[in-house]
Amino acid sequence: MWSGGGPARALTRTVWRRRAAGDSHADLSFQAGMRGTLQDCNWKTQLKASSTLAGLLFKMKSSIDTLLNMSNNYHLGSPLSGVKILDVGCGGGLLSEPLGRLGASVTGIDPLEDNIRTADQHKSFDPVLAQRIQYKSSSLEEIVEESMETFDVIVASEVVEHVADLEMFIKCCSQVLKPGGSLFITTVNRTQLSYVLGIVVAEKILGVVPEGTHEWEKFVPPEDLERLLESNGFSVKTVNGMLYNPLWGSWSWTESTSINYAMHAVKSGAQGQSSPTDAPSEMESKQHSDTAGTAV
């Protein structure tokens, strides 16, 4: 249904292999993990991957910050203990691992077997992660029947712009998510600006991602995604734009959703029912304010 997690997720195969070859002990902190990932890439790789890998790291940190703010658990060192998370299009596990280190039970799925092999190999260096994370070479549709209303959280970063049937994708997310559960999506808007910057500049001129990675027609306007989510039983909580600064190699939040944006939606549940990810909207607003201008 989708092509496998986007260019940044595919890049993690190389990153994890470099880390596995030089360090058999996984980093114990999220921040150390991000710094180590960037340090292990050689300078040429960092330049080429600046907008994709850095973007994924920024989206990863913001999603985790939101989950931490919304969590009702206060286990020292494991604030996401008891939270079941599905990482759709997990690639080499760059997002699954920090979630696992924070105590979550993570299932990462990706249709590309090579991605799953890389993720499994890297996970094996940390016994804690080996217990908390499982990877499957699978599409979302293939796990629906066995995973009905299983997960508290679904994360789909750089996935929906590669999906052939977006409505079916959203329906499947709803089916495997518990009532009251959260869905985090980061993707690209379909505008003239996103075509110029995301395809002409990034692919054809700078070569930041391989040419042909994206199809502009598959980029999803936030209003279309919000309408699809609401028609499938979701309530959209926040929509925030993201901006990449090529001079500083950093990402930050912005009011404009004309290029990249992040969306958080909650699946409707029984009245009065709550989940580990249910929280007042002002808490999320504070989180977005706190992370504005954050760079990785």
Side-chain angles (χ1 to χ4, degrees):
M1 181 171 64
W2 79 96
S3 61
R9 296 300 182 92
L11 178 65
T12 61
R13 295 199 301 270
T14 300
V15 174
W16 281 158
R17 283 167 181 160
R18 289 177 183 271
R19 291 176 61 76
D23 181 7
S24 62
H25 300 285
D27 298 311
L28 298 181
S29 72
F30 172 52
Q31 292 292 342
M34 289 199 299
R35 294 192 188 100
T37 297
L38 293 177
Q39 290 168 358
D40 285 346
C41 292
N42 60 38
W43 180 240
K44 182 177 180 181
T45 301
Q46 287 187 46
L47 286 175
K48 188 174 182 62
S50 59
S51 69
T52 52
L53 181 56
L56 181 58
L57 292 171
F58 173 77
K59 298 164 191 175
M60 173 171 62
K61 182 182 184 301
S62 62
S63 296
I64 291 176
D65 286 345
T66 302
L67 285 173
L68 291 175
N69 282 335
M70 296 164 64
S71 176
N72 294 323
N73 296 313
Y74 298 97
H75 301 279
L76 184 63
S78 300
L80 296 182
S81 178
V83 179
K84 293 183 178 180
I85 300 178
L86 176 65
D87 182 10
V88 182
C90 64
L94 191 59
L95 174 54
S96 296
E97 290 201 4
L99 291 171
R101 291 191 186 102
L102 290 170
S105 174
V106 184
T107 299
I109 62 171
D110 197 292
L112 299 181
E113 292 185 2
D114 188 38
N115 285 351
I116 298 301
R117 281 194 294 268
T118 300
D120 272 328
Q121 180 184 19
H122 193 265
K123 178 189 70 173
S124 67
F125 291 106
D126 188 332
V128 173
L129 292 182
Q131 294 179 354
R132 294 177 179 173
I133 303 174
Q134 64 170 331
Y135 294 113
K136 296 181 179 181
S137 178
S138 171
S139 68
L140 182 57
E141 298 103 322
E142 290 171 343
I143 70 164
V144 166
E145 187 173 347
E146 66 187 60
S147 306
M148 292 291 288
E149 296 191 349
T150 295
F151 299 100
D152 300 297
V153 176
I154 297 176
V155 180
S157 183
E158 299 187 7
V159 171
V160 300
E161 67 267 29
H162 301 282
V163 167
D165 188 339
L166 183 56
E167 184 169 11
M168 177 60 68
F169 180 86
I170 298 299
K171 286 181 179 178
C172 290
C173 286
S174 178
Q175 288 176 309
V176 302
L177 195 63
K178 294 178 181 178
S182 284
L183 171 61
F184 293 93
I185 293 175
T186 61
T187 189
V188 191
N189 196 353
R190 190 171 66 243
T191 62
Q192 291 182 340
L193 186 58
S194 71
Y195 177 81
V196 172
L197 296 180
I199 295 181
V200 176
V201 175
E203 293 188 14
K204 300 180 183 296
I205 297 178
L206 297 181
V208 171
V209 293
E211 189 168 347
T213 296
H214 294 105
E215 297 178 47
W216 183 77
E217 294 78 10
K218 286 188 176 181
F219 288 177
V220 187
E223 57 271 18
D224 289 357
L225 182 56
E226 186 169 354
R227 186 167 53 251
L228 267 178
L229 287 166
E230 291 178 346
S231 65
N232 283 278
F234 285 92
S235 174
V236 175
K237 299 299 182 182
T238 57
V239 182
N240 289 86
M242 296 179 291
L243 182 65
Y244 176 68
N245 185 332
L247 296 178
W248 298 102
S250 63
W251 287 75
S252 60
W253 294 112
T254 176
E255 292 183 2
S256 173
T257 59
S258 58
I259 307 175
N260 297 85
Y261 65 93
M263 187 173 292
H264 171 215
V266 174
K267 179 181 174 180
S268 300
Q271 188 172 0
Q273 184 173 2
S274 63
S275 79
T277 61
D278 202 8
S281 58
E282 57 263 29
M283 184 175 291
E284 281 195 71
S285 299
K286 180 180 184 302
Q287 182 271 322
H288 286 304
S289 175
D290 291 343
T291 57
T294 301
V296 293

